[in-house]
Amino acid sequence: MNPFSSGTRLRDMIRAIRACKTAAEERGVVRKECAAIRASINENDQDYRHRNMAKLMFIHMLGYPTHFGQMECLKLIASPGFPEKRIGYLGLMLLLDERQEVLMLVTNSLKQDLNHTNQYIVGLALCALGNICSAEMARDLAPEVERLLQFRDPNIRKKAALCSIRIIKKVPDLAENFINPATSLLREKHHGVLITGVQLCTDLCKTSTEALEHIRKKCTDGLVRSLRDLANSPYSPEYDIAGITDPFLHIRLLKLLRVLGEGDADASDSMNDILAQVATKTESNKVAGNAILYECVQTIMSIEDNGGLRVLAINILGRFLSNRDNNIRYVALNMLMRAVTADAQAVQRHRATILECVKDLDASIRKRALELVYVLVNETNVKPLVKELVDYLEVSDLDFREDLTTKICSIVAKFSPEKIWYIDQMLKVLSEAGNFVKDEVWYALIVVVSNASELHGYTVRALYRAFQTSAEQETLVRVTVWCIGEYGDMLVNNIGMLDIEDPITVTESDAVDVVEIAIKRHASDLTTKAMALVALLKLSSRFPSCSERIGEIIVQFKGNLVLELQQRAIEFNSVISKHQNIRSTLVERMPVLDEATFIGRRAGSLPGAASTATAPSVSLPNGLAKPAAPLVDLLDLSSDDPVAPSSSGGDFLQDLLGVDLSPASQQSGAGQASKSGTDVLLDLLSIGSPVQSNSVDILSSNTSNKAPVSPLDDLSSLSLSSRSASNAGPVIDLLGGISSSPPTENNGPVYPSVTAFESSSLRLTFNFTKQPGNPQTTVIQATFTNLSSNTYTDFVFQAAVPKFLQLHLDPASGNTLPATGNGSITQTLRVTNSQHGKKSLVMRIRIAYKINGKDTLEEGQISNFPRDL
């Protein structure tokens, strides 16, 4: 016989397929067998129809197409014999689903088989209907299924109940037809019928409110009685599993009771006793017993309040936490997360066990336990809980350390009872896992430190000690450098010593050593090095004996490839070497941030801007939650909202130096202007006599009329624009004298350049121009500089603005950005402000490029435009 003829037995085909050594060989065997089956179908070969269908089902399970055999299923179902119908219905369930139009042709055959005298054929039809029933079939065949719920044979009643579940899910409107037959199944003694009846009632309650009320009123007591009889039943070998009688029925009954008791006090009261009995008498040393206990706990936590039962349920979950099975501990932690809202005090009793789960070897359990600990923290237990978490942080796995660090920082910021405790805990976290701390966290720490004047000395000494042992933690290095730059004199002179401190001897040279180590570390990034340069400039004034050494360190960065560091080094060196008379004024301590102002500022949002993440807050003794600020806000230079002018018309430079830099108000009708703010600044710094000028560049020795790129997070280059339309004079450089050449003529006002966006790998600079007679339109020249050692390809810049602005982008000068600042890309933007004079420019940007073929995306919001654009 041909091995691939239609008469090939199923086992022979399977053996031939398994003998194939390659996928191609297997496809060849399947292709030949399918061809033989098609030929047999075309010949209408009835002798081998059932065998062909069996082989098609196996081929289907291998993943090959078998749609050509669908009609053969219908022919087999229409056959009178049981064997043919069995293969036909099996093929129907495997090869078709409810979306197939062919399925409509089988409805009549199903209806006939549901009324068949052979109960086994009825069972086949119910099984098929329960698996692939569509909404149309459900409506047509629901009466037959409803009738079969009262059939004499328990197996048929069981299958009819399961089929009814499928019908009411497909057509909820038919639920009311099954209420009475379903409730009659709850009185069955046969466990197979009873468990399907319970499941049918559960689905009816979820589908129909009418069914829920009917079953709650008529069947609750009977269900409680059934559960009690089941729990107290003697040993029955037919249903016994690990010494427990039919745990599957236990669980189904508990689920139905949960649905009935939820939201109904009377039904909940009637089931309290049996729930307590199941919770106390069920053995927990077997998997079946634990499954029943878990379902019982879920039912107790879902029904109406009963304090004693809930404590019992939470204690069961506490026992689960000590189980060796990871799955049981995980579901217990999940359930305790829900239980916290119902009875937090009862969950608190198991705090020690939950903390042990944080140290578990299983990553899922660790993460879930940490989330639960976070929920359990309050003002009374924050100190012991944080101590346990910080101690574990020292030995935790690296992959878990980021989550653990984030939770600890959030807990400390939210529930801190006092500032000194907050600072201590944050220093411990920075020392152990500073590389995992997010920027917002150390921003917040600096805000708290700057406001705790009595703790400045304590903090800088603690940071100095921590730096000696944990210099590899980047975030700790940043905070240490900032604090030494601000409070280095307090470190050297042991100012502000507390009783809990041990004396420490630190020389001026030691303090400078810390900053030098930070700036020369190979692992230090741009932010750390920039902060270290600022700290060195400040220490040059605080430690005159080290000024020469500090100057030598700064000079080393004058030729740095990173433009940001190069600019800072050049300007700071100029301050140290040429302008000692103004250095102490320029590097005074950072003004303390007004926290109330900061809270109001962070509460606002820009129109059209995406929402930003909320900064962490510090709970202080007065009970107010004080959000932390980014470091740039310490200078009051960055704000989401335009800064309202003060009574003197000053800006951030006026606030910083304490002088009025704005032109005085015009006298009404007199036509005379009083002395300008520039004159006041010149008087303050005692540099020559006042001269009308185009621009005053405070910290730059640049003699051109183009303002330098000015970062907003330090004092490296603050510039003031004060041009008069009718007066033009020479440029005054306060650090380098009067420029040798006057500025070139320009028909429009001059604005300082702005570093609009900067990351560790990219800088975006904006230069602004306006045409006379068109103040609403601003032409922006965008310059992109690569700060990394990799070349960027496929460079694309996108921008979005609010509705009151109109934006036009010209093509960029290229799409490849050379590495390490060896070139740039420029692009022109034209922005028209319909609310000119009322609203400032704002912009959201997205920069996309590729590094070695890998896509990279950077986004940001720009709000530091000059206010008169």
PDB file of all heavy atoms in Angstrom, residues 223-243:
ATOM      1  N   LEU A 223     -26.396  27.020  51.040  1.00  0.00           N
ATOM      2  CA  LEU A 223     -24.978  26.950  50.722  1.00  0.00           C
ATOM      3  C   LEU A 223     -24.122  26.857  51.978  1.00  0.00           C
ATOM      4  O   LEU A 223     -23.130  26.110  52.027  1.00  0.00           O
ATOM      5  CB  LEU A 223     -24.563  28.184  49.900  1.00  0.00           C
ATOM      6  CG  LEU A 223     -25.099  28.244  48.462  1.00  0.00           C
ATOM      7  CD1 LEU A 223     -24.876  29.625  47.863  1.00  0.00           C
ATOM      8  CD2 LEU A 223     -24.425  27.180  47.595  1.00  0.00           C
ATOM      9  N   VAL A 224     -24.501  27.612  53.002  1.00  0.00           N
ATOM     10  CA  VAL A 224     -23.779  27.518  54.281  1.00  0.00           C
ATOM     11  C   VAL A 224     -23.891  26.110  54.851  1.00  0.00           C
ATOM     12  O   VAL A 224     -22.918  25.531  55.359  1.00  0.00           O
ATOM     13  CB  VAL A 224     -24.324  28.569  55.267  1.00  0.00           C
ATOM     14  CG1 VAL A 224     -23.779  28.336  56.675  1.00  0.00           C
ATOM     15  CG2 VAL A 224     -23.997  29.988  54.793  1.00  0.00           C
ATOM     16  N   ARG A 225     -25.080  25.547  54.748  1.00  0.00           N
ATOM     17  CA  ARG A 225     -25.302  24.192  55.241  1.00  0.00           C
ATOM     18  C   ARG A 225     -24.464  23.181  54.447  1.00  0.00           C
ATOM     19  O   ARG A 225     -23.856  22.271  55.016  1.00  0.00           O
ATOM     20  CB  ARG A 225     -26.793  23.853  55.154  1.00  0.00           C
ATOM     21  CG  ARG A 225     -27.187  22.581  55.880  1.00  0.00           C
ATOM     22  CD  ARG A 225     -28.705  22.533  56.136  1.00  0.00           C
ATOM     23  NE  ARG A 225     -29.479  22.851  54.938  1.00  0.00           N
ATOM     24  CZ  ARG A 225     -30.177  23.988  54.786  1.00  0.00           C
ATOM     25  NH1 ARG A 225     -30.184  24.900  55.755  1.00  0.00           N
ATOM     26  NH2 ARG A 225     -30.879  24.204  53.685  1.00  0.00           N
ATOM     27  N   SER A 226     -24.403  23.347  53.137  1.00  0.00           N
ATOM     28  CA  SER A 226     -23.603  22.437  52.309  1.00  0.00           C
ATOM     29  C   SER A 226     -22.123  22.527  52.668  1.00  0.00           C
ATOM     30  O   SER A 226     -21.422  21.511  52.747  1.00  0.00           O
ATOM     31  CB  SER A 226     -23.795  22.772  50.833  1.00  0.00           C
ATOM     32  OG  SER A 226     -25.135  22.585  50.432  1.00  0.00           O
ATOM     33  N   LEU A 227     -21.635  23.750  52.885  1.00  0.00           N
ATOM     34  CA  LEU A 227     -20.228  23.914  53.240  1.00  0.00           C
ATOM     35  C   LEU A 227     -19.938  23.309  54.612  1.00  0.00           C
ATOM     36  O   LEU A 227     -18.881  22.687  54.813  1.00  0.00           O
ATOM     37  CB  LEU A 227     -19.859  25.405  53.213  1.00  0.00           C
ATOM     38  CG  LEU A 227     -18.393  25.757  53.513  1.00  0.00           C
ATOM     39  CD1 LEU A 227     -17.455  25.039  52.543  1.00  0.00           C
ATOM     40  CD2 LEU A 227     -18.173  27.262  53.452  1.00  0.00           C
ATOM     41  N   ARG A 228     -20.883  23.450  55.551  1.00  0.00           N
ATOM     42  CA  ARG A 228     -20.696  22.859  56.888  1.00  0.00           C
ATOM     43  C   ARG A 228     -20.666  21.337  56.806  1.00  0.00           C
ATOM     44  O   ARG A 228     -19.808  20.686  57.423  1.00  0.00           O
ATOM     45  CB  ARG A 228     -21.794  23.332  57.837  1.00  0.00           C
ATOM     46  CG  ARG A 228     -21.626  22.802  59.262  1.00  0.00           C
ATOM     47  CD  ARG A 228     -22.700  23.310  60.197  1.00  0.00           C
ATOM     48  NE  ARG A 228     -22.589  24.742  60.425  1.00  0.00           N
ATOM     49  CZ  ARG A 228     -23.420  25.649  59.962  1.00  0.00           C
ATOM     50  NH1 ARG A 228     -24.463  25.276  59.202  1.00  0.00           N
ATOM     51  NH2 ARG A 228     -23.242  26.931  60.210  1.00  0.00           N
ATOM     52  N   ASP A 229     -21.597  20.767  56.032  1.00  0.00           N
ATOM     53  CA  ASP A 229     -21.606  19.310  55.878  1.00  0.00           C
ATOM     54  C   ASP A 229     -20.317  18.823  55.221  1.00  0.00           C
ATOM     55  O   ASP A 229     -19.778  17.774  55.594  1.00  0.00           O
ATOM     56  CB  ASP A 229     -22.804  18.878  55.024  1.00  0.00           C
ATOM     57  CG  ASP A 229     -24.135  19.143  55.724  1.00  0.00           C
ATOM     58  OD1 ASP A 229     -24.118  19.340  56.960  1.00  0.00           O
ATOM     59  OD2 ASP A 229     -25.178  19.198  55.032  1.00  0.00           O
ATOM     60  N   LEU A 230     -19.829  19.574  54.265  1.00  0.00           N
ATOM     61  CA  LEU A 230     -18.600  19.182  53.578  1.00  0.00           C
ATOM     62  C   LEU A 230     -17.398  19.262  54.513  1.00  0.00           C
ATOM     63  O   LEU A 230     -16.530  18.376  54.511  1.00  0.00           O
ATOM     64  CB  LEU A 230     -18.385  20.096  52.366  1.00  0.00           C
ATOM     65  CG  LEU A 230     -17.231  19.748  51.416  1.00  0.00           C
ATOM     66  CD1 LEU A 230     -17.459  18.381  50.780  1.00  0.00           C
ATOM     67  CD2 LEU A 230     -17.087  20.820  50.335  1.00  0.00           C
ATOM     68  N   ALA A 231     -17.354  20.333  55.328  1.00  0.00           N
ATOM     69  CA  ALA A 231     -16.223  20.484  56.248  1.00  0.00           C
ATOM     70  C   ALA A 231     -16.234  19.425  57.342  1.00  0.00           C
ATOM     71  O   ALA A 231     -15.170  19.009  57.824  1.00  0.00           O
ATOM     72  CB  ALA A 231     -16.245  21.885  56.863  1.00  0.00           C
ATOM     73  N   ASN A 232     -17.420  18.973  57.743  1.00  0.00           N
ATOM     74  CA  ASN A 232     -17.528  17.993  58.834  1.00  0.00           C
ATOM     75  C   ASN A 232     -17.699  16.561  58.329  1.00  0.00           C
ATOM     76  O   ASN A 232     -17.890  15.644  59.137  1.00  0.00           O
ATOM     77  CB  ASN A 232     -18.723  18.338  59.738  1.00  0.00           C
ATOM     78  CG  ASN A 232     -18.536  19.682  60.420  1.00  0.00           C
ATOM     79  OD1 ASN A 232     -17.422  20.078  60.732  1.00  0.00           O
ATOM     80  ND2 ASN A 232     -19.646  20.391  60.644  1.00  0.00           N
ATOM     81  N   SER A 233     -17.665  16.365  57.009  1.00  0.00           N
ATOM     82  CA  SER A 233     -17.923  15.034  56.466  1.00  0.00           C
ATOM     83  C   SER A 233     -16.794  14.071  56.830  1.00  0.00           C
ATOM     84  O   SER A 233     -15.626  14.470  56.935  1.00  0.00           O
ATOM     85  CB  SER A 233     -18.060  15.108  54.940  1.00  0.00           C
ATOM     86  OG  SER A 233     -16.843  15.537  54.356  1.00  0.00           O
ATOM     87  N   PRO A 234     -17.132  12.815  57.035  1.00  0.00           N
ATOM     88  CA  PRO A 234     -16.096  11.818  57.339  1.00  0.00           C
ATOM     89  C   PRO A 234     -15.263  11.489  56.099  1.00  0.00           C
ATOM     90  O   PRO A 234     -15.528  11.990  55.006  1.00  0.00           O
ATOM     91  CB  PRO A 234     -16.916  10.606  57.789  1.00  0.00           C
ATOM     92  CG  PRO A 234     -18.232  10.767  57.112  1.00  0.00           C
ATOM     93  CD  PRO A 234     -18.487  12.249  57.014  1.00  0.00           C
ATOM     94  N   TYR A 235     -14.284  10.649  56.291  1.00  0.00           N
ATOM     95  CA  TYR A 235     -13.394  10.266  55.195  1.00  0.00           C
ATOM     96  C   TYR A 235     -14.183   9.621  54.068  1.00  0.00           C
ATOM     97  O   TYR A 235     -14.994   8.732  54.284  1.00  0.00           O
ATOM     98  CB  TYR A 235     -12.340   9.288  55.717  1.00  0.00           C
ATOM     99  CG  TYR A 235     -11.485   8.690  54.625  1.00  0.00           C
ATOM    100  CD1 TYR A 235     -10.507   9.447  53.996  1.00  0.00           C
ATOM    101  CD2 TYR A 235     -11.686   7.369  54.223  1.00  0.00           C
ATOM    102  CE1 TYR A 235      -9.729   8.894  52.992  1.00  0.00           C
ATOM    103  CE2 TYR A 235     -10.911   6.809  53.222  1.00  0.00           C
ATOM    104  CZ  TYR A 235      -9.924   7.582  52.602  1.00  0.00           C
ATOM    105  OH  TYR A 235      -9.154   7.025  51.609  1.00  0.00           O
ATOM    106  N   SER A 236     -13.960  10.103  52.842  1.00  0.00           N
ATOM    107  CA  SER A 236     -14.634   9.559  51.659  1.00  0.00           C
ATOM    108  C   SER A 236     -13.582   9.343  50.585  1.00  0.00           C
ATOM    109  O   SER A 236     -13.058  10.311  50.016  1.00  0.00           O
ATOM    110  CB  SER A 236     -15.713  10.530  51.172  1.00  0.00           C
ATOM    111  OG  SER A 236     -16.296  10.071  49.977  1.00  0.00           O
ATOM    112  N   PRO A 237     -13.230   8.083  50.320  1.00  0.00           N
ATOM    113  CA  PRO A 237     -12.147   7.830  49.363  1.00  0.00           C
ATOM    114  C   PRO A 237     -12.427   8.396  47.973  1.00  0.00           C
ATOM    115  O   PRO A 237     -11.504   8.744  47.235  1.00  0.00           O
ATOM    116  CB  PRO A 237     -12.067   6.301  49.312  1.00  0.00           C
ATOM    117  CG  PRO A 237     -13.006   5.776  50.327  1.00  0.00           C
ATOM    118  CD  PRO A 237     -13.840   6.872  50.843  1.00  0.00           C
ATOM    119  N   GLU A 238     -13.699   8.521  47.621  1.00  0.00           N
ATOM    120  CA  GLU A 238     -14.039   8.988  46.284  1.00  0.00           C
ATOM    121  C   GLU A 238     -13.635  10.446  46.062  1.00  0.00           C
ATOM    122  O   GLU A 238     -13.261  10.836  44.956  1.00  0.00           O
ATOM    123  CB  GLU A 238     -15.541   8.831  46.055  1.00  0.00           C
ATOM    124  CG  GLU A 238     -15.991   9.199  44.651  1.00  0.00           C
ATOM    125  CD  GLU A 238     -17.481   9.012  44.461  1.00  0.00           C
ATOM    126  OE1 GLU A 238     -18.172   8.598  45.429  1.00  0.00           O
ATOM    127  OE2 GLU A 238     -17.967   9.282  43.348  1.00  0.00           O
ATOM    128  N   TYR A 239     -13.703  11.246  47.131  1.00  0.00           N
ATOM    129  CA  TYR A 239     -13.440  12.685  47.002  1.00  0.00           C
ATOM    130  C   TYR A 239     -12.233  13.148  47.807  1.00  0.00           C
ATOM    131  O   TYR A 239     -11.915  14.338  47.807  1.00  0.00           O
ATOM    132  CB  TYR A 239     -14.668  13.496  47.458  1.00  0.00           C
ATOM    133  CG  TYR A 239     -15.930  13.159  46.704  1.00  0.00           C
ATOM    134  CD1 TYR A 239     -17.020  12.572  47.343  1.00  0.00           C
ATOM    135  CD2 TYR A 239     -16.029  13.427  45.343  1.00  0.00           C
ATOM    136  CE1 TYR A 239     -18.188  12.266  46.651  1.00  0.00           C
ATOM    137  CE2 TYR A 239     -17.194  13.127  44.641  1.00  0.00           C
ATOM    138  CZ  TYR A 239     -18.259  12.535  45.293  1.00  0.00           C
ATOM    139  OH  TYR A 239     -19.397  12.247  44.600  1.00  0.00           O
ATOM    140  N   ASP A 240     -11.560  12.276  48.520  1.00  0.00           N
ATOM    141  CA  ASP A 240     -10.492  12.677  49.442  1.00  0.00           C
ATOM    142  C   ASP A 240      -9.230  13.071  48.672  1.00  0.00           C
ATOM    143  O   ASP A 240      -8.784  12.360  47.763  1.00  0.00           O
ATOM    144  CB  ASP A 240     -10.169  11.526  50.403  1.00  0.00           C
ATOM    145  CG  ASP A 240      -9.117  11.953  51.427  1.00  0.00           C
ATOM    146  OD1 ASP A 240      -9.504  12.610  52.398  1.00  0.00           O
ATOM    147  OD2 ASP A 240      -7.931  11.643  51.216  1.00  0.00           O
ATOM    148  N   ILE A 241      -8.652  14.226  49.046  1.00  0.00           N
ATOM    149  CA  ILE A 241      -7.365  14.685  48.528  1.00  0.00           C
ATOM    150  C   ILE A 241      -6.538  15.179  49.708  1.00  0.00           C
ATOM    151  O   ILE A 241      -6.893  16.183  50.350  1.00  0.00           O
ATOM    152  CB  ILE A 241      -7.519  15.816  47.496  1.00  0.00           C
ATOM    153  CG1 ILE A 241      -8.274  15.319  46.271  1.00  0.00           C
ATOM    154  CG2 ILE A 241      -6.160  16.374  47.088  1.00  0.00           C
ATOM    155  CD1 ILE A 241      -8.507  16.370  45.214  1.00  0.00           C
ATOM    156  N   ALA A 242      -5.475  14.450  50.039  1.00  0.00           N
ATOM    157  CA  ALA A 242      -4.571  14.807  51.134  1.00  0.00           C
ATOM    158  C   ALA A 242      -5.324  14.975  52.448  1.00  0.00           C
ATOM    159  O   ALA A 242      -5.049  15.893  53.222  1.00  0.00           O
ATOM    160  CB  ALA A 242      -3.805  16.085  50.788  1.00  0.00           C
ATOM    161  N   GLY A 243      -6.293  14.097  52.690  1.00  0.00           N
ATOM    162  CA  GLY A 243      -7.022  14.132  53.950  1.00  0.00           C
ATOM    163  C   GLY A 243      -8.144  15.145  54.003  1.00  0.00           C
ATOM    164  O   GLY A 243      -8.766  15.322  55.055  1.00  0.00           O
TER     165      GLY A 243
END
